[in-house]
Amino acid sequence: EVQLVESGGGLVQPGGSLSLSCAASGFTFRTNPMSWVRQAPGKGLEWVASISGGGGVAYGDSVKGRFTISRDNAKSTLYLQMNSLKTEDTAVYCCAAGWGYDDWRPATRGQGTQVTVSS
Protein backbone atom coordinates (compact mmCIF):
# COMPACT_ATOMS: atom_id res chain seq x y z
CA GLU A 1 0.00 0.00 0.00
CA VAL A 2 1.36 3.40 -1.02
CA GLN A 3 1.66 5.79 1.93
CA LEU A 4 2.75 9.43 1.88
CA VAL A 5 2.89 11.19 5.25
CA GLU A 6 3.73 14.88 5.44
CA SER A 7 5.06 16.77 8.44
CA GLY A 8 6.59 20.12 9.35
CA GLY A 9 3.75 22.53 8.76
CA GLY A 10 2.86 25.33 11.14
CA LEU A 11 2.44 29.04 11.65
CA VAL A 12 5.15 31.38 10.39
CA GLN A 13 5.42 35.14 9.89
CA PRO A 14 5.76 36.68 6.43
CA GLY A 15 9.37 36.56 5.32
CA GLY A 16 10.04 33.51 7.44
CA SER A 17 11.06 29.97 6.54
CA LEU A 18 9.65 26.51 7.03
CA SER A 19 10.75 23.02 6.05
CA LEU A 20 8.36 20.22 5.13
CA SER A 21 9.04 16.49 4.96
CA CYS A 22 7.17 13.59 3.36
CA ALA A 23 7.86 9.99 4.37
CA ALA A 24 7.05 7.57 1.56
CA SER A 25 6.47 3.82 1.66
CA GLY A 26 4.84 1.04 -0.33
CA PHE A 27 6.59 1.72 -3.65
CA THR A 28 10.08 2.11 -5.14
CA PHE A 29 10.72 5.67 -4.05
CA ARG A 30 14.20 6.14 -5.53
CA THR A 31 13.11 5.73 -9.14
CA ASN A 32 9.83 7.63 -8.88
CA PRO A 33 9.53 11.34 -9.60
CA MET A 34 7.91 13.16 -6.68
CA SER A 35 6.13 16.45 -6.28
CA TRP A 36 4.60 18.92 -3.89
CA VAL A 37 1.16 20.40 -4.50
CA ARG A 38 -0.86 22.78 -2.37
CA GLN A 39 -4.44 23.91 -1.91
CA ALA A 40 -5.27 27.30 -0.47
CA PRO A 41 -8.63 27.99 1.19
CA GLY A 42 -11.34 28.29 -1.43
CA LYS A 43 -8.96 27.59 -4.32
CA GLY A 44 -8.05 24.65 -6.50
CA LEU A 45 -5.02 22.41 -6.35
CA GLU A 46 -1.76 24.10 -7.38
CA TRP A 47 1.41 22.31 -8.45
CA VAL A 48 4.42 23.63 -6.49
CA ALA A 49 7.52 21.64 -7.44
CA SER A 50 8.77 18.31 -8.78
CA ILE A 51 11.96 16.28 -8.56
CA SER A 52 13.05 13.28 -10.59
CA GLY A 53 14.67 10.18 -9.16
CA GLY A 54 18.01 11.54 -10.34
CA GLY A 55 17.51 14.99 -8.84
CA GLY A 56 16.27 17.07 -11.75
CA VAL A 57 13.85 19.75 -10.52
CA ALA A 58 11.11 22.06 -11.73
CA TYR A 59 9.09 24.75 -9.95
CA GLY A 60 5.84 26.57 -10.37
CA ASP A 61 6.22 30.25 -11.21
CA SER A 62 4.76 31.41 -7.90
CA VAL A 63 7.49 29.72 -5.80
CA LYS A 64 10.50 29.83 -8.12
CA GLY A 65 13.54 31.27 -6.35
CA ARG A 66 11.98 30.89 -2.89
CA PHE A 67 11.28 27.17 -2.49
CA THR A 68 13.67 24.23 -2.87
CA ILE A 69 12.59 20.64 -3.39
CA SER A 70 14.96 17.79 -2.50
CA ARG A 71 14.94 14.12 -1.68
CA ASP A 72 16.83 11.49 0.28
CA ASN A 73 16.38 8.21 -1.57
CA ALA A 74 18.07 6.22 1.22
CA LYS A 75 15.39 7.44 3.63
CA SER A 76 12.52 7.46 1.11
CA THR A 77 11.83 11.04 2.13
CA LEU A 78 10.89 14.12 0.15
CA TYR A 79 11.55 17.65 1.39
CA LEU A 80 10.43 21.19 0.65
CA GLN A 81 12.42 24.12 2.01
CA MET A 82 10.32 27.28 1.90
CA ASN A 83 11.97 30.68 2.31
CA SER A 84 10.70 34.26 2.04
CA LEU A 85 7.19 33.06 2.76
CA LYS A 86 4.23 35.24 1.80
CA THR A 87 0.68 35.28 3.09
CA GLU A 88 -0.45 33.86 -0.25
CA ASP A 89 1.62 30.72 0.48
CA THR A 90 -0.94 29.76 3.13
CA ALA A 91 -2.30 26.35 2.11
CA VAL A 92 -2.41 22.65 2.83
CA TYR A 93 0.75 21.16 1.32
CA CYS A 94 0.70 17.58 0.04
CA CYS A 95 3.37 15.39 -1.45
CA ALA A 96 2.42 13.38 -4.48
CA ALA A 97 3.89 10.62 -6.60
CA GLY A 98 4.72 11.65 -10.13
CA TRP A 99 6.02 14.60 -12.15
CA GLY A 100 3.75 17.60 -11.85
CA TYR A 101 2.70 20.47 -14.10
CA ASP A 102 0.11 23.26 -14.12
CA ASP A 103 -3.44 21.95 -13.61
CA TRP A 104 -2.10 18.52 -12.55
CA ARG A 105 -4.38 16.27 -10.53
CA PRO A 106 -2.16 13.58 -8.96
CA ALA A 107 -3.63 10.11 -8.55
CA THR A 108 -1.61 9.51 -5.37
CA ARG A 109 -0.98 12.12 -2.68
CA GLY A 110 -0.79 12.38 1.09
CA GLN A 111 -3.25 13.95 3.51
CA GLY A 112 -1.19 17.11 3.73
CA THR A 113 0.21 19.48 6.34
CA GLN A 114 -1.13 22.99 7.02
CA VAL A 115 1.13 25.97 6.42
CA THR A 116 -0.14 29.32 7.64
CA VAL A 117 1.76 32.53 6.89
CA SER A 118 0.47 35.36 9.02
CA SER A 119 1.67 38.18 11.23
Side-chain angles (χ1 to χ4, degrees):
E1 178 189 3
V2 174
Q3 284 196 322
L4 299 169
V5 180
E6 302 89 344
S7 61
L11 174 64
V12 62
Q13 293 187 340
S17 298
L18 208 58
S19 181
L20 306 183
S21 299
C22 171
S25 62
F27 63 105
T28 307
F29 178 82
R30 60 184 173 81
T31 60
N32 211 315
M34 296 293 297
S35 299
W36 288 97
V37 295
R38 68 185 182 184
Q39 188 159 20
K43 295 189 176 181
L45 201 63
E46 179 187 9
W47 167 65
V48 174
S50 294
I51 185 167
S52 70
V57 299
Y59 297 94
D61 288 341
S62 63
V63 306
K64 203 171 293 183
R66 300 187 299 122
F67 290 12
T68 302
I69 188 172
S70 62
R71 64 193 296 161
D72 185 333
N73 288 336
K75 296 181 179 180
S76 294
T77 302
L78 179 72
Y79 303 99
L80 185 68
Q81 176 65 40
M82 305 184 293
N83 298 328
S84 303
L85 283 161
K86 306 175 182 180
T87 55
E88 51 263 44
D89 293 319
T90 295
V92 175
Y93 285 72
C94 302
C95 64
W99 187 266
Y101 48 88
D102 290 340
D103 297 323
W104 181 46
R105 296 294 178 265
T108 303
R109 58 175 163 137
Q111 291 295 310
T113 185
Q114 176 70 48
V115 172
T116 302
V117 185
S118 175
S119 55

